Amino acid sequence: MSSSRILVLNSGSSSVKYQLLDMRDSSRLAVGLVERIGEETSRLKHTPAGAEAREWTGPIADHEAALKAVSAELAKDGLGLDSPELAAIGHRVVHGGKHFTEPTVVDDTVLAEIERLIPVAPLHNPANLTGIRTAQALRPDLPQVAVFDTAFHTTMPESAARYAIDVQTADEHRIRRYGFHGTSHAYVSRATAQLLGRAPEDVNVIVLHLGNGASASAVRGGTCVDTSMGLTPLEGLVMGTRSGDMDPAVIFHLMRVGGMSADEIDTLLNKKSGLIGLCGDNDMREIRRRIDEGDEQAQLAFDIYIHRLKKYIGAYYAVLGRVDAIAFTAGVGENAAPVREAAVAGLEELGLAVDSELNAVRGDAPRLISPEHARVAVAVVPTDEELEIATQTYALVKGSQNLT
Ligand code: ADP
């Protein structure tokens, strides 16, 4: 029997999310999560397909222990990591810089480059590296594939990727706009073309990935030409806890007048700003509940969120020239009908509108929410980053097997 299983690992500093997929039919064999790694109360939650979830709490010292615990859980379902049916392990890697434009089989050079990028991704790349090294130690014979969050955006033209700052300084410190959530933007833009029954090459899409982190992208014929996140995920839209776009001089002001350190400002803008900074909540469900009760602070936070979103829709409309579809995705984009309605309200002149009844329908499948003969399709397209990582990983290892 040929190997057709892919394990997808998303390693954070104190957590590992995983999914085991069978690529013959892209089905999930198991999904799970280990969190609070390094604490006494680490938790593992493992859900095999079609069965009850199993939970376990206790000390899990490090990523190696976490992956061993995951393997033990998988083994109980006959899916252990030692299985010959496992074809490869696909790793989400947040920052791939300018040069990783494709999923890449990991070797020492690739590991060194991911390590070299740590200064531009200090929170994410170290954890991603740990995940890869741990998986390598467990199955040294297996291809480990890095799938980069930045890869889809490497096609951005220099006019979109460069900041207007001194070129030498920018190049010396590798300061440019890299963009993130690329795996999701790639998957959703393709799925949107499919929903329209057209080839991705023929379709221009604005993708709005609205989760706790949020980003927009302009995709022309399957190729990303602009995205809202930059050197780091801080730029762009108003997010759950991040400010998004802001006059950079706010930072000097906080340093000089507010007496804050760089680390304090980093925490302020990444963790205590956006919706949570504006109204104390970052969950859109809670914000909508408060608005329904007449809460003005929640209403203002919502209005600021929508105003920024609308500006990006307008900007990317101009960047693309012709827009065939706008796709909403991720936790807020897939679930919050009021956000979708407000984001396109008043844009009828651009061919954009939402049908209230279609917008109110809930579901897991990609669907159109624009009126029947609208010039621009407005769609809800659930993202699936794990499936995309598995698909890219499988395509890469299958391709290389064919060559040998
Ligand atoms: P992450 O960026 O952590 O991957 P997700 O894409 O899972 O985030 O989105 C999480 C966010 O989605 C929550 O913080 C919440 O604001 C929003 N969300 C989830 N479900 C709903 C819902 N039913 N209605 C409105 N917002 C929702």
Side-chain angles (χ1 to χ4, degrees), residues 208 210 309 326-330 333-334 339-340 343-344 369 378-381:
L208 303 171
L210 311 177
L309 193 54
I326 295 196
F328 286 90
T329 196
E334 291 167 29
V339 168
R340 299 191 294 254
V344 302
I369 56 169
V378 182
V380 179
V381 181

Side-chain angles (χ1 to χ4, degrees), residues 181 209-213 282-285 330-332 335-336 362:
H181 291 147
H209 176 112
L210 311 177
N212 200 22
N282 63 329
D283 192 312
M284 194 52 82
R285 283 165 287 203
V332 176
N335 295 298
R362 305 187 67 86

